[in-house]
Amino acid sequence: MSGTVLNCGYVPLVDCAPLVLAKELGFAAEEGLDLNLVRQPSWSALRDMLALGHLDAAQMLSPMSVAMSIGLGGLAAKIDTLMVLSVNGTVFGVSNAVAEALGPVPFGDANAVLHKIAARDGAPLRIGVPFHYSMHRLLLSYWTSAAPDLQIEEVTVPPPRMADAVADGHVDAFWVGEPWGSVAVGRDVAQLMMTGRDVWQFAPEKVLAARHDWVVENDDTVRRLMRAVFHAAKWLDVKRNKPLAVEILSRSEHLSLPADLIDPAVSGHLLPQIGGHPVEVERFLQFHRYAASFPWRSQAAWIAHQLGAEGEDLETAKACFRTDLYRANLAAVGADMPGASEKVEGSLQFETAVASSRGHMILAPDAFFDGRTFDYAGKER
């Protein structure tokens, strides 16, 4: 079935699944779209391709659209976040040598891991992250701020190269999206210590983004794209669909990864180290449940605050998370809409029912590891 050709950039990570499934399961075709997924070697390449108009839309790290919109990091452009593609899905790991030096640490205990690393002697810890304007780096910065004397060195490494960087001694530790943490474990060069959700339990990781001018000029195409991705994300978060999702993703040329590397992220069963036992991580990677795809403006404000934005820049950041388009384009296909577009981030300790258009919305816990909260006005408490 032919349709409107739409060029969408992505980086080969498991959390690009909503885009791959929108294409492979025909959700895009049903909306009259010929979704052309254009693989990118790095986040900087993807950013530049979108900014220069070579891509119509893209999977992006959630802070990228904020940073670009407020003029940070290379090419500045007004970028709209149409919806969140994935929540959580990242891991923090260390080289085998560092793991041996640290000794036993409970997996997933962010405070215990930080305490052990802060007590480590030696040179600054070199930590690989995929991109400076990434949720990986913001979580790393937020987490390590609780240990002000800890010395770290941030090293940018494209996700597919992270295991090589550990093996070559280029980095001592890493924060990366799956499956690249599991790849490092599988090569027996690293051990996983915790996941991103152990620092912020419900962090927006990837988003579907496009240039603001393209969004304005192609409102119908934007609507159809958002609907296709929404249906794919909803399908992905149905438990009985997960084995088939892994099969489709593994045989798709878009990821070029075997099923055994895709399954841990989709199932939430991670293997922290060779010879160990899998650990089940609740809500390790979410695409749809708990309003995962809703672009909360308070999340954009948290990101901007971590980037040092204030005043007008903070408002610009909030505006680039297009809750208005999400409501306008997805209400007719059954999306349950929250009663507000902003909330106090970090305030939910348990699953919580909230006011919504259909009255069925449950939000997941979103607490930060240190117990602080953040309101959309840009204040931490």
Side-chain angles (χ1 to χ4, degrees):
M1 178 180 177
S2 62
T4 301
V5 177
L6 192 149
N7 296 314
C8 186
Y10 76 101
V11 171
L13 294 142
V14 176
D15 56 20
C16 73
L19 297 176
V20 174
L21 272 295
K23 179 179 179 68
E24 297 296 325
L25 292 181
F27 294 119
E30 289 175 4
E31 292 290 342
L33 295 177
D34 181 358
L35 186 58
N36 180 34
L37 298 182
V38 185
R39 185 167 176 156
Q40 299 298 303
S42 67
W43 291 112
S44 57
L46 180 143
R47 173 201 59 198
D48 295 349
M49 289 284 283
L50 182 68
L52 295 173
H54 300 303
L55 296 170
D56 301 315
Q59 169 207 29
M60 295 192 93
L61 297 156
S62 57
M64 286 179 73
S65 62
V66 172
M68 293 174 72
S69 293
I70 61 178
L72 298 177
L75 289 175
K78 190 173 183 180
I79 303 295
D80 287 346
T81 288
L82 305 176
M83 58 197 298
V84 175
L85 282 178
S86 63
V87 166
N88 301 333
T90 65
V91 294
F92 174 77
V94 299
S95 69
N96 287 340
V98 172
E100 184 177 356
L102 295 180
V105 188
F107 180 83
D109 187 331
N111 284 295
V113 175
L114 184 61
H115 175 76
K116 283 276 194 174
I117 289 178
R120 168 184 172 271
D121 293 326
L125 194 71
R126 295 164 299 170
I127 303 179
V129 295
F131 194 68
H132 184 71
Y133 298 106
S134 66
M135 184 56 68
H136 316 69
R137 207 275 299 175
L138 296 189
L139 291 178
L140 172 64
S141 178
Y142 183 86
W143 176 57
T144 56
S145 68
D149 294 331
L150 173 62
Q151 293 187 327
I152 64 172
E153 179 184 340
E154 175 191 326
V155 182
T156 300
V157 181
R161 294 286 299 167
M162 198 64 77
D164 291 334
V166 178
D168 296 342
H170 187 54
V171 299
D172 306 305
F174 56 84
W175 207 311
V176 73
E178 279 291 276
W180 302 110
S182 291
V183 168
V185 171
R187 289 179 54 180
D188 199 14
V189 298
Q191 298 182 23
L192 304 184
M193 307 299 287
M194 65 178 186
T195 71
R197 59 140 293 174
D198 294 314
V199 173
W200 184 10
Q201 289 194 41
F202 213 72
E205 174 57 28
K206 304 299 191 306
V207 299
L208 178 62
R211 297 182 317 283
H212 178 75
D213 58 350
W214 184 86
V215 171
V216 171
E217 294 168 4
N218 297 273
D219 59 330
D220 183 57
T221 300
V222 169
R223 182 181 304 109
R224 288 184 282 152
L225 173 62
M226 291 178 67
R227 289 181 178 182
V229 174
F230 175 82
H231 287 305
K234 185 176 181 179
W235 185 92
L236 273 163
D237 265 2
V238 176
K239 187 175 182 179
R240 67 175 180 272
N241 292 340
K242 292 184 183 296
L244 179 57
V246 171
E247 179 186 339
I248 294 171
L249 291 169
S250 66
R251 71 172 187 245
S252 164
E253 77 274 15
H254 305 296
L255 285 184
S256 303
L257 294 167
D260 62 338
L261 289 180
I262 295 171
D263 182 75
V266 176
S267 68
H269 291 83
L270 302 177
L271 183 66
Q273 64 189 72
I274 291 292
H277 298 287
V279 175
E280 183 175 4
V281 181
E282 189 177 7
R283 297 184 304 278
F284 174 71
L285 178 59
Q286 297 290 157
F287 299 107
H288 175 78
R289 295 184 66 207
Y290 307 110
S293 62
F294 188 77
W296 294 94
R297 292 191 168 181
S298 46
Q299 293 176 340
W302 184 88
I303 290 168
H305 182 66
Q306 299 305 309
L307 295 177
E310 298 177 349
E312 185 176 338
D313 281 346
L314 194 65
E315 293 304 313
T316 298
K318 287 165 58 177
C320 80
F321 269 43
R322 298 298 302 274
T323 57
D324 56 331
L325 290 181
Y326 189 96
R327 294 179 185 279
N329 291 338
L330 297 180
V333 294
D336 197 9
M337 303 295 175
S341 295
E342 300 163 333
K343 57 187 174 71
V344 177
E345 299 296 336
S347 64
L348 302 180
Q349 301 291 327
F350 310 98
E351 291 189 7
T352 304
V354 297
S356 66
S357 59
R358 295 176 176 268
H360 300 139
M361 183 167 289
I362 303 290
L363 298 184
D366 68 350
F368 294 99
F369 83 104
D370 56 5
R372 285 190 287 175
T373 59
F374 176 87
D375 70 27
Y376 59 82
K379 301 173 184 176
E380 285 181 307
R381 296 185 284 211

